[in-house]
Amino acid sequence: MDNKNIYEKYDWEKLSLKKLQPKIEKILTWIPSDVKTILDVGCGNGVITNILSEHFDVTAVDRSKKALSYVKTKKVKASADDIPLKDRSFDLAFSSEMLEHLDDKTLKDTIRELKRLSKKYIFITVPNGENPAKLAIQCPSCGYVFNRPNHLRSFKLSDFQVLFSELKVIRSHAFGPRTRYYQPALLKIKLKATPSSAWVPYYWIPKADRHTICSKCEHEFEYPYKFHPIASAIDMLNVLVSPKKPYWLFVLMEKK
Ligand SMILES: [Zn+2]
């Protein structure tokens, strides 16, 4: 992650149980019956962790002190790529919506940590093959263009088969609210040909939700929307060529 402070400034209360309830119920049904201990890496505000801890012996890891203040189980303040715990300490290493936030080097080191700390299983959830540039916004202060939820990459099932090649995928499934993909070539044209105020319409992200923090300069702002005919035409074209698909990808792996 290029900027550590944004996670201290982040409004962690926005991540509520109400929104994530169906996902958490699904996660609980996926955890193999021989699992007793779980390491939750990048637990955020613990909205999932706290429920897991009602059923399992859970240790939570996050780099943000503010996020950890909401976590009600054992917790370790550490970066996912350098966790000060012993090898093979947990039946299951778990991580939900975290890997997509990592740069190349941090991702590599985080995956090494997940493999090292797990005794048997690794369970990952990530956005399902999204195109992060779909939610590109531009900071009015420094001009930096970034994905609004700070997603730097996307994953398909085949990526896990490469990144975790020593493990066996024992279950995988796309699940959750159906979200429209954005065709990369069309998106490229839109971002080049139209002003940043036309990129993210209100029907994607409502007005009330448009407060954000620049991941480069930490400037806080509301990103605007101003209708632009070309942006709108490209969005319509994209509806014709890009399917909607379930938002999350769940992948459960076992050490061979
Ligand atoms: Zn900025």
Short mmCIF file of all heavy atoms in Angstrom, two decimals, residues 139 141-144 214-219, ligand 1:
data_model
loop_
_atom_site.label_atom_id
_atom_site.label_comp_id
_atom_site.label_asym_id
_atom_site.label_seq_id
_atom_site.Cartn_x
_atom_site.Cartn_y
_atom_site.Cartn_z
N CYS A 139 -7.98 13.26 -7.78
CA CYS A 139 -7.85 14.19 -6.64
C CYS A 139 -7.77 15.63 -7.18
O CYS A 139 -6.92 15.93 -8.01
CB CYS A 139 -6.60 13.85 -5.85
SG CYS A 139 -6.21 15.08 -4.60
N SER A 141 -6.75 18.14 -5.66
CA SER A 141 -5.62 18.86 -5.11
C SER A 141 -4.30 18.51 -5.81
O SER A 141 -3.55 19.40 -6.21
CB SER A 141 -5.53 18.56 -3.60
OG SER A 141 -4.40 19.18 -3.06
N CYS A 142 -4.03 17.19 -5.99
CA CYS A 142 -2.73 16.82 -6.58
C CYS A 142 -2.86 16.19 -7.97
O CYS A 142 -1.86 15.91 -8.63
CB CYS A 142 -1.97 15.88 -5.65
SG CYS A 142 -2.62 14.21 -5.60
N GLY A 143 -4.09 15.93 -8.41
CA GLY A 143 -4.29 15.40 -9.76
C GLY A 143 -4.15 13.89 -9.87
O GLY A 143 -4.34 13.31 -10.94
N TYR A 144 -3.83 13.22 -8.76
CA TYR A 144 -3.64 11.76 -8.78
C TYR A 144 -4.94 11.04 -9.14
O TYR A 144 -6.00 11.39 -8.62
CB TYR A 144 -3.14 11.32 -7.40
CG TYR A 144 -2.78 9.86 -7.26
CD1 TYR A 144 -1.86 9.27 -8.10
CD2 TYR A 144 -3.36 9.09 -6.25
CE1 TYR A 144 -1.52 7.94 -7.96
CE2 TYR A 144 -3.02 7.75 -6.09
CZ TYR A 144 -2.11 7.19 -6.96
OH TYR A 144 -1.77 5.87 -6.81
N CYS A 214 -7.69 11.21 -0.79
CA CYS A 214 -6.70 10.91 -1.84
C CYS A 214 -5.63 10.00 -1.25
O CYS A 214 -5.08 10.27 -0.18
CB CYS A 214 -6.06 12.21 -2.34
SG CYS A 214 -4.67 11.91 -3.44
N SER A 215 -5.33 8.89 -1.97
CA SER A 215 -4.37 7.95 -1.42
C SER A 215 -2.93 8.43 -1.63
O SER A 215 -1.99 7.81 -1.16
CB SER A 215 -4.58 6.54 -1.98
OG SER A 215 -4.63 6.59 -3.38
N LYS A 216 -2.76 9.55 -2.32
CA LYS A 216 -1.41 10.10 -2.48
C LYS A 216 -1.16 11.26 -1.50
O LYS A 216 -0.21 11.22 -0.73
CB LYS A 216 -1.20 10.56 -3.92
CG LYS A 216 0.22 10.93 -4.22
CD LYS A 216 0.54 10.81 -5.69
CE LYS A 216 1.75 9.94 -5.91
NZ LYS A 216 1.90 9.54 -7.30
N CYS A 217 -2.04 12.30 -1.53
CA CYS A 217 -1.75 13.51 -0.74
C CYS A 217 -2.63 13.63 0.51
O CYS A 217 -2.51 14.59 1.27
CB CYS A 217 -1.87 14.75 -1.61
SG CYS A 217 -3.57 15.22 -1.97
N GLU A 218 -3.57 12.66 0.70
CA GLU A 218 -4.47 12.64 1.86
C GLU A 218 -5.48 13.79 1.90
O GLU A 218 -6.10 14.05 2.92
CB GLU A 218 -3.67 12.60 3.18
CG GLU A 218 -2.90 11.31 3.33
CD GLU A 218 -2.09 11.25 4.62
OE1 GLU A 218 -2.57 11.79 5.62
OE2 GLU A 218 -0.99 10.68 4.58
N HIS A 219 -5.64 14.48 0.77
CA HIS A 219 -6.66 15.51 0.68
C HIS A 219 -8.04 14.85 0.77
O HIS A 219 -8.29 13.83 0.13
CB HIS A 219 -6.49 16.24 -0.66
CG HIS A 219 -7.55 17.25 -0.95
ND1 HIS A 219 -7.75 18.37 -0.15
CD2 HIS A 219 -8.48 17.34 -1.94
CE1 HIS A 219 -8.75 19.08 -0.65
NE2 HIS A 219 -9.21 18.48 -1.73
ZN ZN B 1 -4.19 14.19 -3.88
#
